[in-house]
């Protein structure tokens, strides 16, 4: 008899403990918001931290859990996110780029339609139409943009150019290759590179500079062949550019890649304009005298854009909090807090231009200039879907190793057809 009572008591105690711990877990997840991105480290995390603080301030008792995974361009974060989404364990909001990068999530039902929020917040009127188109699939809008970045930039220090007797950054890739000879003769490296994604970033800017904006667009739309003589010539230029870079001893990520330019061991780096935040805030350099940037060779007057956005995942634990976060991301206040620190310009067209000075002032002026042509980034999600982008990664990895340009062009051409 007493044994039976003891068993019942034990069951009660265990259930109570389980209940309490369940309550504890639920309690924790109930008042916290897990936001997933790849913004860690200098030049990446400051803008997010400012928005997180503002979010917590506006939602007393709610904890912002920063689930960022390091690695530029999401090189690690995207893979880990994929496994979480597969396991139906999404964060409460995650970073994606505007453009075709969103397509898989939408098709597989991983993200929720935010069209109602766009109506409530009046966002269709304050975000550029072209940007909203890049967030819309089958008539529904799936993400909230925090910023606009520019990919086609070449960074340098005026000091190094002066020391080498170079009058300015190259306007074409042919001029860059001429400068590279002078640079080599003086014992420096012409171009600093980082991991594979930075090599793809370089490829897109060489294609843009050599083909021009129209044919660059046609290439991603499948209206121009990778086997065409023009693309062949651009790929040959890319191979020459690689040959005068430090690709064989490439840096671990984009910050150390830029460090080589800052130290003067390398002269140029092609990188997006998140560089400006790193160079200003971490390296303490000033625009135009300490560091400078020009459109990457051959792409003056073109804005190779990308945009960081946040989503509302299906199965988010607290969709009400996720929505509040998204409102913060899309709000004027949120964008004004985030962008000057992140080194990007606001996605909103009504943000306060006075907050964007130095490099960012120039970026904003270029973005808003109707004469400047806008194209989308390959490396940062705009113009190619994930499957195609992954195939380009594999083929490019081989091309960089073996220099077999013909094989690269054939593979990418075929993969375009197979991944649409
Ligand atoms: C891009 C992202 C930027 C910046 C960069 C380097 O893909 O859109 O915001 O973080 O990677 O990590």
């Amino acid at each position: 008899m007493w044994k039976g009572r003891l068993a019942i008591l034990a069951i009660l105690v265990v259930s109570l403990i389980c209940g309490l711990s369940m309550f504890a877990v639920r309690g924790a997840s109930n008042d916290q918001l897990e936001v997933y991105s790849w913004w860690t480290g200098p030049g990446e995390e400051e803008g997010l931290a400012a928005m997180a603080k503002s979010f917590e301030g506006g939602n007393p008792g709610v904890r912002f859990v920063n689930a960022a995974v390091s690695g530029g361009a999401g090189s690690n974060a995207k893979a880990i996110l994929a496994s979480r989404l597969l396991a139906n364990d999404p964060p409460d909001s995650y970073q994606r780029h505007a453009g075709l990068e969103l397509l898989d999530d939408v098709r597989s039902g991983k993200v929720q339609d935010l069209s109602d929020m766009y109506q409530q917040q009046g966002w269709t009127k304050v975000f550029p139409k072209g940007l909203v188109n890049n967030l819309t699939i089958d008539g529904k809008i799936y993400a909230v943009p925090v910023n606009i970045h520019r990919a086609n930039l070449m960074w340098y220090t005026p000091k190094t150019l002066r020391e080498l007797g170079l009058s300015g950054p190259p306007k074409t890739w042919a001029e860059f290759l001429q400068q590279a000879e002078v640079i080599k003769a003086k014992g420096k490296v012409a171009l600093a590179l980082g991991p594979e994604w930075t090599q793809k970033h370089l490829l897109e800017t060489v294609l843009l500079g050599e083909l021009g904006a129209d044919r660059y667009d046609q290439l991603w739309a499948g209206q121009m062949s990778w086997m065409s003589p023009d693309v062949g010539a651009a790929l040959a230029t890319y191979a020459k550019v690689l040959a005068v870079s430090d690709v064989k001893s490439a840096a671990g990520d984009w910050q150390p890649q830029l460090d080589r330019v800052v130290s003067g061991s390398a002269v140029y780096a092609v990188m997006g304009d998140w560089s400006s935040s790193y160079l200003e805030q971490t390296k303490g350099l000033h625009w135009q005298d300490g560091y400078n940037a020009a459109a990457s060779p051959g792409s003056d007057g073109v804005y190779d854009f990308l945009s960081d956005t946040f989503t509302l995942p299906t199965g988010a634990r607290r969709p009400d909090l996720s929505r509040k976060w998204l409102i913060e991301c899309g709000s004027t206040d949120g964008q004004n807090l985030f962008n000057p620190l992140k080194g990007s310009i606001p996605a909103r067209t009504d943000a306060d231009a006075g907050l964007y000075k130095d490099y960012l002032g120039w970026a904003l002026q270029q973005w808003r200039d109707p004469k400047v042509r806008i194209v989308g980034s390959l490396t940062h999600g705009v113009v190619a879907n994930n499957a195609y982008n992954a195939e380009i990664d594999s083929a490019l990895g081989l091309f960089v190793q073996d220099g077999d340009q013909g094989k690269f062009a054939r593979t990418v051409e075929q993969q375009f057809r197979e991944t649409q």
Side-chain angles (χ1 to χ4, degrees), residues 233-275:
L235 292 177
T237 302
Y238 177 69
K240 288 183 193 153
V241 172
L242 278 185
V244 298
S245 76
D246 59 5
V247 64
K248 295 220 161 66
S249 55
D253 212 332
W254 65 270
Q255 296 98 329
Q257 177 189 357
L258 287 177
D259 288 348
R260 295 179 179 186
V261 174
V262 173
S263 75
S265 64
V267 181
Y268 298 112
V270 168
M271 192 33 61
D273 58 3
W274 39 91
S275 307

Side-chain angles (χ1 to χ4, degrees), residues 43 47 147-150 153 155 272-278 280-281 286-288 291-293 303 335-346 352-368:
N147 67 359
I148 301 293
H149 268 307
R150 185 179 185 180
L153 292 160
W155 303 85
D273 58 3
W274 39 91
S275 307
S276 75
S277 139
Y278 179 66
E280 299 253 348
Q281 291 162 51
H286 295 125
W287 169 239
Q288 285 185 333
Y291 77 97
N292 214 338
Y303 207 107
Q335 303 222 337
N336 285 345
L337 270 177
F338 176 78
N339 287 296
L341 292 169
K342 177 65 171 63
S344 43
I345 55 170
D352 179 359
L355 291 172
Y356 300 89
K357 304 209 165 33
D358 300 326
Y359 165 74
L360 292 177
W362 179 56
L364 195 57
Q365 175 269 316
Q366 291 275 295
W367 174 248
R368 290 183 175 175

Side-chain angles (χ1 to χ4, degrees), residues 38-39 44 72-73 95 97 149 197 254 274 306 308 342 380:
W38 55 86
W39 292 330
E44 296 271 53
Q95 179 185 0
H97 288 121
H149 268 307
W197 71 267
W254 65 270
W274 39 91
L306 59 124
D308 293 306
K342 177 65 171 63
H380 307 279

Side-chain angles (χ1 to χ4, degrees), residues 74-148:
S75 38
N76 304 320
K78 285 179 181 175
I80 296 172
L81 177 65
S83 59
R84 284 190 63 173
L85 294 182
L86 203 63
N88 290 325
D89 173 32
D92 298 310
S93 185
Y94 61 82
Q95 179 185 0
R96 276 286 187 236
H97 288 121
L100 291 175
E101 188 177 298
L102 270 169
L103 199 61
D104 286 344
D105 293 353
V106 174
R107 296 261 190 267
S108 57
K110 297 294 179 194
V111 286
Q112 298 188 39
D113 173 14
L114 300 172
S115 309
D116 61 331
M117 235 177 148
Y118 269 71
Q119 291 309 325
Q120 285 153 16
Q121 300 295 321
W123 283 341
T124 46
K125 296 193 191 73
V126 295
F127 292 130
K129 201 164 175 298
L131 178 58
V132 176
N133 286 344
N134 271 295
L135 306 168
T136 305
I137 294 166
D138 298 336
K140 295 175 183 157
I141 315 177
Y142 286 95
V144 180
V146 276
N147 67 359
I148 301 293

Side-chain angles (χ1 to χ4, degrees), residues 133-361:
N133 286 344
N134 271 295
L135 306 168
T136 305
I137 294 166
D138 298 336
K140 295 175 183 157
I141 315 177
Y142 286 95
V144 180
V146 276
N147 67 359
I148 301 293
H149 268 307
R150 185 179 185 180
N152 59 320
L153 292 160
M154 186 174 243
W155 303 85
Y156 61 95
T157 70
K159 182 169 172 275
T160 304
L161 259 53
R162 267 196 310 275
E163 278 168 18
L164 293 171
L166 297 170
S167 60
K171 294 201 167 46
T172 61
W173 284 107
E175 192 190 339
F176 167 79
L177 292 169
Q178 283 161 13
Q179 285 196 6
E181 286 177 22
V182 177
I183 295 168
K184 192 176 173 199
K186 299 205 173 167
K188 288 187 192 286
V189 172
L191 191 77
L193 273 171
E196 286 180 0
W197 71 267
T198 72
Q199 299 159 26
K200 183 160 73 161
H201 188 122
L202 174 66
L203 172 69
E204 85 179 60
T205 60
V206 173
L207 288 169
L208 176 61
E210 294 289 272
L211 297 175
D214 283 344
R215 286 181 299 170
Y216 176 88
D217 276 349
Q218 286 163 11
L219 185 63
W220 304 121
Q223 293 156 358
M224 181 174 197
S225 169
W226 282 89
M227 322 276 281
S228 65
D230 289 348
V231 176
L235 292 177
T237 302
Y238 177 69
K240 288 183 193 153
V241 172
L242 278 185
V244 298
S245 76
D246 59 5
V247 64
K248 295 220 161 66
S249 55
D253 212 332
W254 65 270
Q255 296 98 329
Q257 177 189 357
L258 287 177
D259 288 348
R260 295 179 179 186
V261 174
V262 173
S263 75
S265 64
V267 181
Y268 298 112
V270 168
M271 192 33 61
D273 58 3
W274 39 91
S275 307
S276 75
S277 139
Y278 179 66
L279 294 172
E280 299 253 348
Q281 291 162 51
T282 309
K283 295 283 150 182
L285 300 174
H286 295 125
W287 169 239
Q288 285 185 333
D289 49 29
Y291 77 97
N292 214 338
S296 54
S299 72
D300 193 27
V302 183
Y303 207 107
D304 180 14
F305 103 99
L306 59 124
S307 170
D308 293 306
T309 76
F310 282 90
T311 56
L312 172 52
T314 307
R317 279 161 298 190
R318 283 284 304 269
D320 57 328
L321 290 181
S322 305
R323 282 177 179 269
K324 285 185 175 172
W325 163 247
L326 295 177
I327 290 172
E328 169 88 30
C329 292
S331 71
T332 315
D333 286 354
Q335 303 222 337
N336 285 345
L337 270 177
F338 176 78
N339 287 296
L341 292 169
K342 177 65 171 63
S344 43
I345 55 170
R348 287 182 76 110
T349 49
D350 60 350
D352 179 359
L355 291 172
Y356 300 89
K357 304 209 165 33
D358 300 326
Y359 165 74
L360 292 177

